[in-house]
């Protein structure tokens, strides 16, 4: 018991949970309460001196299993991660490891090793600050996995951030099944900043191969204008390549834009629209209440193709 107390004394624990009630506008579907996500973060500072800071992060993730073998089942919880066909455990909640990595920080440089972030997703979540309402566009449409196992090198300055990584390429919920590794480059720049306004430009490149040596190539770009009264952002993503089972070339695009208006510190008004491929549109519009530093809530409308939902969602931090 004394040993456990000593170990936990150097670990910072925090977490966040996303709760939701959904009212469906389709009489054939059920309304219901859901836990979209629950994260528990454990961060231990292993070493800290004037030159080097070394820490380890471990994050547990709670999500819900959904059935991709049943037509329309995605409507019950579009935020689920584990997707399996027609199983008795569909609808149950599971716990798994989202992040488990070592981070070394030396002056303006960082090294990450382990199961770490997708740095494009991380950057876009810093712009789209409403993760409890919905994922970022590339994450929502499964263009990118939000975490993967590998090593990444990062350079930070006041206006520029550059991250280059080598990863398995299969995401955090799949086992590595080939000898190839994926290369990722993420660049963030703020060419203009002052006390009232920031303009950010972001770029991302990804190259890898499937087990059958088919290529996968992704390019993303984004522009964000951030003011005390509003945030305006546009994102474009392109996926080129083949699939793991076919030699046919796929070329798919994602275009997204959102605006967040902040008339005061109490509430935000948000609207977002994503266009994926030739036919799929996704829309979010609603009101966000900033109740405290650790508590936010939202009432919003979502539409994915012909599926329409009214949601009451809450973010609770601890």
């Amino acid at each position: 018991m004394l040993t456990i107390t000593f170990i936990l004394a150097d670990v910072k624990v925090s977490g966040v949970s996303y709760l939701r009630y959904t009212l469906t506008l389709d009489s054939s579907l059920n309304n219901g309460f859901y836990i979209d996500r629950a994260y528990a973060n454990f961060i231990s500072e292993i070493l800290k001196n004037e030159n080097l800071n070394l820490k380890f992060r471990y994050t547990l993730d709670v999500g819900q299993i959904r059935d991709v073998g049943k037509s329309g089942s995605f409507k019950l919880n579009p935020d689920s991660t584990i997707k399996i066909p027609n199983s008795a455990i569909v609808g149950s909640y599971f716990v798994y490891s989202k992040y488990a990595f070592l981070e070394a920080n030396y002056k303006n440089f960082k090294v990450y090793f382990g199961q770490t972030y997708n740095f494009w997703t991380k950057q876009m979540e810093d712009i789209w600050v409403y993760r409890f309402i919905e994922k970022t566009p590339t994450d929502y449409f499964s263009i990118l996995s939000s975490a993967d196992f590998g090593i990444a090198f990062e350079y930070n300055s006041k206006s520029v951030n550059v991250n280059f990584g080598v990863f398995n390429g299969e995401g955090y919920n799949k086992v590595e099944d080939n000898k190839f590794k994926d290369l990722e480059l993420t660049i963030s720049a703020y060419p203009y900043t002052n006390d009232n306004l920031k303009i950010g430009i972001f770029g991302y490149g990804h190259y890898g191969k499937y087990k059958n040596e088919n290529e996968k190539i992704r390019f993303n770009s984004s522009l964000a204008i951030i003011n005390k009264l509003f945030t305006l952002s546009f994102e474009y993503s392109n996926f080129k390549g083949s699939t793991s089972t076919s030699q046919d070339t796929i070329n798919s695009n994602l275009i997204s834009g959102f605006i967040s208006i902040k008339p005061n510190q109490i509430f935000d008004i948000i609207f977002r629209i994503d266009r994926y491929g030739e036919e799929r549109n996704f829309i979010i519009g609603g009101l966000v209440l900033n109740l405290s530093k650790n508590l936010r809530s939202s009432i919003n409308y979502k539409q994915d193709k012909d599926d329409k939902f009214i949601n009451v969602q809450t973010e609770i931090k601890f």
Side-chain angles (χ1 to χ4, degrees):
M1 184 65 182
L2 291 176
T3 302
I4 294 175
T5 304
F6 174 76
I7 292 173
L8 292 181
D10 293 329
V11 177
K12 294 181 180 179
V13 181
S14 64
V16 62
S17 183
Y18 306 146
L19 309 178
R20 170 170 57 94
Y21 176 77
T22 290
L23 174 66
T24 63
L25 302 183
D26 184 339
S27 60
S28 66
L29 299 175
N30 296 324
N31 306 322
F33 295 93
Y34 303 95
I35 302 173
D36 278 339
R37 266 304 184 269
Y39 299 100
N41 302 306
F42 305 87
I43 300 176
S44 176
E45 195 166 65
I46 300 170
L47 174 67
K48 184 176 182 180
N49 57 42
E50 294 181 357
N51 297 316
L52 181 64
N53 185 8
L54 190 63
K55 61 184 179 181
F56 182 79
R57 173 174 176 174
Y58 181 69
T59 298
L60 285 174
D61 192 347
V62 177
Q64 189 178 39
I65 297 173
R66 67 183 174 93
D67 185 354
V68 294
K70 182 179 179 182
S71 176
S73 62
F74 74 92
K75 301 172 186 177
L76 297 179
N77 190 355
D79 198 46
S80 300
T81 295
I82 299 299
K83 308 165 188 177
I84 58 176
N86 301 315
S87 168
I89 63 172
V90 165
S92 61
Y93 288 88
F94 63 96
V95 179
Y96 67 99
S97 298
K98 180 63 179 285
Y99 302 123
F101 63 85
L102 191 67
E103 177 184 328
N105 186 355
Y106 175 73
K107 295 184 179 180
N108 292 341
F109 298 91
K110 289 184 179 181
V111 178
Y112 303 84
F113 177 72
Q115 186 168 296
T116 184
Y117 319 105
N118 174 278
F119 290 89
W120 176 260
T121 302
K122 183 176 182 293
Q123 178 62 68
M124 291 300 99
E125 286 184 350
D126 289 342
I127 305 300
W128 167 255
V129 293
Y130 307 104
R131 172 62 185 85
F132 77 102
I133 297 176
E134 195 50 80
K135 298 178 180 180
T136 62
T138 52
D139 196 10
Y140 180 81
F141 291 103
S142 300
I143 295 174
L144 298 174
S145 174
S146 58
D148 204 347
F149 195 94
I151 186 169
F153 305 90
E154 185 173 279
Y155 169 77
N156 289 288
S157 70
K158 185 176 180 180
S159 58
V160 177
N161 176 285
V162 180
N163 185 285
F164 174 76
V166 182
F167 299 94
N168 281 346
E170 301 304 319
Y172 61 93
N173 56 5
K174 295 181 181 178
V175 177
E176 176 61 55
D177 66 353
N178 63 69
K179 64 181 180 180
F180 304 109
K181 297 295 168 279
D182 287 17
L183 307 178
E184 297 183 9
L185 176 66
T186 307
I187 300 175
S188 307
Y190 286 92
Y192 181 84
T193 61
N194 62 32
D195 293 338
N196 298 314
L197 180 67
K198 291 199 305 183
I199 298 177
I201 301 173
F202 315 96
Y204 172 85
H206 180 133
Y207 178 82
K209 288 185 177 182
Y210 295 104
K211 187 176 182 179
N212 61 5
E213 300 192 21
N214 289 347
E215 292 183 321
K216 46 182 170 179
I217 304 171
R218 301 182 180 99
F219 291 105
N220 301 339
S221 59
S222 179
L223 170 68
I225 302 171
I226 303 169
N227 183 272
K228 292 181 178 180
L229 297 178
F230 70 88
T231 297
L232 181 64
S233 177
F234 303 96
E235 182 177 350
Y236 172 79
S237 300
N238 176 260
F239 170 81
K240 294 181 180 179
S242 304
T243 67
S244 58
T245 58
S246 172
Q247 295 292 337
D248 296 334
T249 299
I250 296 172
N251 191 336
S252 185
N253 298 306
L254 168 65
I255 300 173
S256 175
F258 86 86
I259 184 168
S260 168
I261 300 172
K262 308 169 186 178
N264 55 47
Q265 296 181 346
I266 303 299
F267 69 90
D268 305 344
I269 302 167
I270 63 169
F271 178 78
R272 170 177 144 188
I273 182 167
D274 304 339
R275 173 77 171 178
Y276 182 57
E278 297 295 328
E279 300 178 351
R280 190 173 177 185
N281 292 325
F282 178 57
I283 297 172
I284 304 173
L287 182 69
V288 178
L289 298 177
N290 304 301
L291 301 173
S292 74
K293 181 181 178 181
N294 296 320
L295 181 62
R296 293 191 294 174
S297 189
S298 170
I299 181 168
N300 58 73
Y301 169 84
K302 296 182 185 179
Q303 181 173 339
D304 191 340
K305 289 187 175 180
D306 295 326
D307 304 313
K308 302 173 183 178
F309 315 90
I310 295 176
N311 304 282
V312 177
Q313 296 176 268
T314 300
E315 175 190 65
I316 304 171
K317 294 180 179 180
F318 62 88

